[in-house]
Amino acid sequence: MVFFVAVSLPPGISSYPQEFAALNRGFVLMFPLTKASATLLSLPATYATAFAFIWCYGKIISAMATSKLLPSVLAAKSRYGTPYVAIIAGSVISYITCVVAFYTDRNNYAFITCMTCAFLTYIAQCISYISLRLNFRNMKNSKFRSPFGIAGAVFAICVWVLALVGMTAFQENHYVVVPILVVLIALLSVFYVVYVRKRQVLSSEEERVLLVVRDLM
């Protein structure tokens, strides 16, 4: 909905890549604001999204640490069950990446790489959903059922594939994201072979977080 509203505002979609914030045009048309002031109205949604990502990567990093995919220190939790070490570690890495990219990455290679990795992750999640629906029909753990089912997941895959193609092939970056991804995958593969392979276990926390079902009828 945000996308369709944003691109429908004058002067149209062709100039939209130059916009700093997606909703600025609408705010400027609705209120007597400059674009700089209108950007402030997007901050609440930005912070809300940030907290959602913090919750997500904190859980995932902690679960991976309990399964020994990452150093076990990242699995530490407070007495309230908060994976504070994972949250701090993920936040520090994120801030360092943002600061370095802000001062050195004039071509937005870091942003494009992160978005490409995100699209690949979303595609993998949709494929996992389809696999669970086909192979674990008696799954009891999940309290939510998608009203769109497998068809919705297939549609989402198509959307993310198109986004992936757009991000890698139509950003005037000479396809630089492709070798960057190859290097990242190679480094992570080496890390897995050298550090993880002989230590890895499947922890109960990873089962819960990554939707691997234990209790089947």
Side-chain angles (χ1 to χ4, degrees):
M1 182 64 70
V2 172
F3 172 78
F4 286 112
V5 171
V7 299
S8 299
L9 297 174
I13 192 173
S14 59
S15 61
Y16 203 75
Q18 284 72 46
E19 289 291 337
F20 178 73
L23 301 178
N24 275 2
R25 289 184 185 177
F27 289 141
V28 170
L29 291 174
M30 293 170 61
F31 308 109
L33 298 172
T34 63
K35 286 189 175 182
S37 299
T39 302
L40 297 176
L41 298 179
S42 297
L43 289 180
T46 302
Y47 279 107
T49 303
F51 280 113
F53 278 108
I54 290 171
W55 179 88
C56 182
Y57 69 64
K59 290 285 188 179
I60 292 175
I61 292 174
S62 176
M64 293 176 69
T66 58
S67 295
K68 300 183 180 180
L69 293 166
L70 294 173
S72 58
V73 66
L74 295 172
K77 296 181 180 180
S78 69
R79 60 177 178 172
Y80 302 106
T82 303
Y84 66 96
V85 177
I87 291 175
I88 293 173
S91 299
V92 169
I93 293 173
S94 298
Y95 277 116
I96 291 175
T97 302
C98 288
V99 171
V100 172
F102 180 79
Y103 286 105
T104 64
D105 187 8
R106 301 303 179 188
N107 296 309
N108 290 326
Y109 292 154
F111 172 77
I112 294 173
T113 302
C114 290
M115 293 301 297
T116 302
C117 291
F119 295 152
L120 290 172
T121 301
Y122 299 150
I123 292 170
Q125 290 173 357
C126 292
I127 294 173
S128 299
Y129 172 81
I130 294 172
S131 176
L132 287 172
R133 285 294 299 269
L134 293 177
N135 299 314
F136 299 95
R137 296 180 180 274
N138 296 323
M139 183 170 60
K140 298 189 300 181
N141 293 43
S142 178
K143 296 180 180 179
F144 173 78
R145 284 189 174 274
S146 170
F148 304 105
I150 293 178
V154 172
F155 175 79
I157 289 174
C158 294
V159 172
W160 296 125
V161 168
L162 289 175
L164 183 64
V165 172
M167 188 60 67
T168 56
F170 297 96
Q171 299 299 316
E172 298 181 355
N173 57 20
H174 307 291
Y175 309 103
V176 71
V177 69
V178 176
I180 291 176
L181 284 176
V182 171
V183 171
L184 284 176
I185 293 173
L187 291 175
L188 291 173
S189 299
V190 171
F191 173 76
Y192 180 84
V193 171
V194 174
Y195 178 82
V196 174
R197 187 172 58 177
K198 295 182 179 180
R199 297 177 172 86
Q200 181 180 4
V201 297
L202 184 60
S203 66
S204 58
E205 183 174 354
E206 186 181 9
E207 289 186 19
R208 291 193 301 270
V209 173
L210 302 182
L211 300 180
V212 179
V213 182
R214 293 174 297 165
D215 302 319
L216 300 176
M217 293 180 63

